[in-house]
């Protein structure tokens, strides 16, 4: 176990600001330019575990920052419902077919696990996937589809047309059985067979009784119109990262349908943007995930480029503590994660959030404390910024108070909606204070 760090010797802001904020200066310059000109999109990507997958903390940060800097769009979304897991409240997905799924926390297999850390796929068509955006603030003009190697697997549609086909069918009449009638006389009357009458009326024998009604399919025919609904594919364009569609009118609903030339259908994510400048805040979270889980899948890092991140935020560590990973190896996995990102020529500044306080099987989680202190000690040397969520939420000594305030859940690991929203608000306050200090120093 790494020796605990004396944080009194480290220049950690005492008012909840972000430590080693000098690495954010180029990002802050871009924010400042956008406040004046409002002509660009600024992409923030927040990567984590179950604390992020539910999009409670990240949604609060997203709303807060977009209120100040403009709403450039919802960002990355994923059909969590179709993967049978929890996700954001902002979007709802439905499909007429079931989908296969697999998470990055499982052993490596030949499954399409990429940008969202969860693979979703089908090997046959015939599906319609419907996406509805519930929050009017996130109606979108542009939708981007992320697939492995940017393959053209999906078409998009916003409407359907009715195709009508004219055909004929046998004319069916009804016959009410009279007293004394038998099947043979009825069959002769309508020039049909006894077997036809029995089949069409589900009769097991020739016995019939007066008063019953029989359906008789005669040899006469009548015209019939069959109407079928067919989705109208939109004109999709492509770039190096995605296949996309742009609409003049803001949309809240769209359908993903099979590209008829594709044989497999693998979805790694969907990006929603508005025709407006401002912040796009994308959250990527997988229940149970660790840095090592993301590190297993090269496709994640390749597809991360599709989000064009200007700032990266990491929130991982809770699940590492359940593996009893010591602080030294935790930092090793963090460094490998950063190295994998930089290998893709993604050079965005990084904020590492320390893990929030939690219990480890109902006992104090000292691993979290060690991670938090080691993250802060490593920050300057490795060139990333830190926001100390562990300290902001009172550390291990404050965890009982979190329970009293209704901020932490019954498992003493996950937080309530109120707890995650408070985390989001505290981070926003720290971020904006640090940004204001940057402007004052200029």
């Amino acid at each position: 176990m790494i020796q605990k760090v004396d944080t009194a010797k480290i220049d950690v802001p005492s008012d909840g600001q972000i430590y080693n904020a000098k690495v954010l200066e180029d990002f802050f310059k871009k924010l400042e330019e956008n406040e004046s000109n409002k002509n660009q999109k600024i992409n923030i990507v927040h990567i984590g575990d179950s604390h992020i997958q539910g999009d409670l903390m990240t949604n609060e940060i997203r709303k807060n920052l977009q209120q100040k800097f403009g709403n450039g769009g919802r960002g990355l979304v994923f059909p969590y419902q179709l993967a049978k897991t929890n996700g954001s409240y902002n979007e709802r997905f439905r499909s007429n077919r079931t989908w296969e799924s697999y998470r990055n926390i499982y052993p490596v297999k030949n499954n399409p696990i990429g940008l969202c850390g969860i693979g979703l796929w089908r090997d046959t068509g015939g599906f319609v996937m419907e996406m509805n955006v519930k929050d009017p603030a996130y109606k979108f003009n542009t939708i981007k589809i992320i697939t492995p190697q940017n393959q053209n697997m999906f078409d998009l549609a916003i409407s359907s047309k009715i195709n009508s086909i004219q055909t004929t069918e046998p004319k069916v009449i009804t016959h009410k059985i009279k007293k004394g009638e038998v099947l043979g006389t009825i069959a002769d009357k309508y020039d049909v067979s006894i077997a036809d009458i029995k089949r069409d009326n589900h009769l097991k024998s020739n016995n019939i009784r007066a008063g019953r009604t029989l359906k008789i399919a005669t040899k006469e025919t009548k015209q019939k119109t069959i109407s079928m609904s067919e989705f109208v594919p939109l004109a999709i364009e492509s770039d190096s990262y995605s296949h996309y569609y742009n609409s003049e009118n803001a949309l809240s609903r769209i359908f993903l349908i099979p590209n008829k030339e594709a044989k497999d259908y693998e979805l790694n994510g969907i990006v929603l943007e508005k025709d407006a400048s401002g912040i796009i805040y994308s959250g990527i979270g997988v229940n149970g995930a660790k840095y090592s889980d993301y590190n297993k899948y090269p496709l994640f890092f390749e597809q991360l480029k599709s989000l064009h991140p200007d700032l990266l935020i990491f929130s991982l560590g809770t699940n590492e503590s359940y593996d009893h990973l010591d602080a030294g190896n935790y930092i090793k996995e963090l460094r490998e994660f950063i190295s994998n990102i930089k290998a893709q020529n993604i050079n965005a500044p990084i904020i590492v959030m320390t893990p929030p306080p939690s219990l480890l099987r109902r006992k104090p989680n000292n691993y979290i404390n060690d991670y938090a202190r080691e993250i802060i000690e490593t920050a300057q040397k490795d060139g990333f910024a830190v926001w100390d969520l562990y300290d902001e939420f009172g550390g291990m000594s404050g965890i009982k108070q979190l329970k009293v305030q209704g901020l932490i859940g019954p498992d003493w690991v996950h937080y309530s909606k109120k707890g995650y929203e408070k985390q989001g608000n505290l981070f926003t306050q720290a971020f904006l204070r640090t940004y204001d200090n940057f402007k004052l120093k200029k």
Side-chain angles (χ1 to χ4, degrees):
M1 183 71 68
I2 282 184
Q3 184 178 359
K4 293 183 182 179
V5 179
D6 182 1
T7 56
K9 297 179 181 178
I10 300 176
D11 182 22
V12 180
S14 59
D15 58 353
Q17 290 184 46
I18 293 171
Y19 171 62
N20 201 30
K22 64 184 180 183
V23 304
L24 305 176
E25 287 183 358
D26 287 343
F27 177 75
F28 284 157
K29 286 176 186 175
K30 190 170 186 178
L31 270 186
E32 191 174 31
E33 289 169 6
N34 195 63
E35 281 197 274
S36 303
N37 300 325
K38 296 189 181 301
N39 62 355
Q40 60 184 330
K41 294 187 184 295
I42 299 172
N43 290 282
I44 301 175
V45 182
H46 196 148
I47 304 165
D49 47 30
S50 57
H51 298 306
I52 304 303
Q53 182 175 319
D55 193 43
L56 294 172
M57 173 174 65
T58 43
N59 189 57
E60 200 70 14
I61 300 170
R62 182 184 300 113
K63 293 281 189 181
N64 290 338
L65 294 184
Q66 288 178 340
Q67 185 175 6
K68 180 171 176 63
F69 300 107
N71 178 357
R74 170 66 178 84
L76 181 66
V77 300
F78 187 76
Y80 292 103
Q81 295 96 339
L82 304 187
K84 298 180 176 59
T85 186
N86 65 300
S88 170
Y89 290 97
N90 285 325
E91 305 82 34
R92 282 292 176 266
F93 288 84
R94 295 188 301 175
S95 180
N96 62 337
R97 298 287 188 270
T98 57
W99 291 75
E100 299 290 327
S101 63
Y102 199 77
R103 284 189 277 166
N104 63 4
I105 65 171
Y106 301 132
V108 174
K109 289 186 178 180
N110 188 28
N111 292 329
I113 298 177
L115 184 57
C116 288
I118 303 175
L120 192 74
W121 71 92
R122 282 181 56 82
D123 56 10
T124 57
F127 63 84
V128 176
M129 183 189 297
E130 179 183 355
M131 183 189 72
N132 284 281
V133 175
K134 296 176 66 178
D135 188 336
Y138 295 117
K139 287 185 176 182
F140 56 94
N141 297 94
T142 300
I143 176 171
K144 301 178 179 180
I145 302 173
I146 312 297
T147 59
Q149 291 77 51
N150 198 20
Q151 296 174 74
N152 189 11
M153 296 177 163
F154 299 90
D155 282 330
L156 293 166
I158 55 176
S159 63
S160 59
K161 65 179 180 180
I162 303 298
N163 291 330
S164 298
I165 300 174
Q166 294 294 327
T167 185
T168 60
E169 65 178 4
K171 184 177 180 181
V172 177
I173 62 173
T174 56
H175 175 89
K176 189 172 183 179
I177 302 170
K178 298 174 184 177
K179 188 174 182 180
E181 281 189 315
V182 295
L183 279 181
T185 59
I186 297 172
D188 291 341
K189 180 178 179 179
Y190 296 107
D191 193 22
V192 296
S193 69
I194 293 174
D196 288 340
I197 296 176
K198 291 174 68 176
R199 182 195 65 234
D200 294 340
N201 293 274
H202 308 291
L203 299 176
K204 295 182 178 179
S205 71
N206 291 350
N207 296 327
I208 55 175
R209 65 175 184 274
R212 178 173 176 174
T213 298
L214 297 174
K215 292 180 179 180
I216 310 292
T218 69
K219 293 180 179 179
E220 296 181 45
T221 60
K222 64 177 183 178
Q223 293 291 318
K224 180 180 181 181
T225 301
I226 300 175
S227 296
M228 294 184 295
S229 178
E230 180 183 357
F231 284 98
V232 182
L234 299 167
I236 295 179
E237 299 179 72
S238 64
D239 57 24
S240 300
Y241 307 101
S242 67
H243 287 78
Y244 64 91
Y245 170 75
N246 180 261
S247 168
E248 289 186 8
N249 301 316
L251 305 173
S252 61
R253 183 174 74 157
I254 202 162
F255 301 92
L256 277 73
I257 55 178
N259 181 321
K260 293 179 180 178
E261 296 180 2
K263 294 182 180 179
D264 298 307
Y265 308 93
E266 301 171 345
L267 184 63
N268 296 120
I270 296 169
V271 181
L272 306 178
E273 297 182 2
K274 300 167 75 75
D275 283 350
S277 63
I279 298 286
I280 299 175
Y281 199 104
S282 296
I284 301 171
V286 180
N287 295 342
K290 307 181 288 290
Y291 283 116
S292 59
D293 293 315
Y294 287 101
N295 287 333
K296 290 185 297 192
Y297 289 93
L299 186 59
F300 169 80
F301 299 98
E302 294 171 20
Q303 292 182 335
L304 188 59
K305 292 184 292 186
S306 67
L307 299 180
H308 309 287
D310 298 299
L311 175 66
L312 293 163
I313 304 173
F314 305 157
S315 292
L316 289 150
T318 299
N319 297 301
E320 281 88 344
S321 72
Y322 270 76
D323 282 355
H324 302 285
L325 188 72
D326 64 67
N329 282 309
Y330 173 86
I331 294 297
K332 181 180 177 183
E333 294 289 352
L334 167 59
R335 283 173 168 160
E336 182 180 343
F337 187 69
I338 293 172
S339 176
N340 287 333
I341 291 173
K342 290 186 174 179
Q344 296 294 327
N345 293 316
I346 300 171
N347 295 307
I350 294 165
I351 300 174
V352 178
M353 284 190 185
T354 60
S358 65
L359 296 186
L360 179 60
R361 297 182 176 87
R362 302 285 171 169
K363 294 180 181 179
N365 190 340
N366 292 319
Y367 289 98
I368 297 291
N369 177 74
D370 293 342
Y371 299 164
R373 306 285 69 84
E374 194 66 20
I375 287 168
I376 293 169
E377 185 178 77
T378 306
Q380 279 195 323
K381 181 169 57 178
D382 284 29
F384 57 78
V386 179
W387 184 60
D388 195 353
L389 173 56
Y390 180 82
D391 184 67
E392 283 289 311
F393 258 42
M396 205 52 59
S397 61
I399 198 165
K400 288 185 179 178
Q401 191 60 29
L402 296 175
K403 189 72 169 179
V404 171
Q405 295 173 351
L407 300 177
I408 198 167
D411 63 358
W412 295 87
V413 175
H414 297 94
Y415 284 74
S416 64
K417 183 175 185 288
K418 178 182 174 183
Y420 283 121
E421 289 175 348
K422 182 171 182 178
Q423 291 176 15
N425 283 316
L426 286 173
F427 174 76
T428 306
Q429 292 165 21
F431 182 87
L432 294 179
R433 276 196 298 265
T434 308
Y435 175 58
D436 288 341
N437 280 351
F438 159 79
K439 292 193 292 184
L440 285 172
K441 288 177 182 177
K442 284 183 63 182

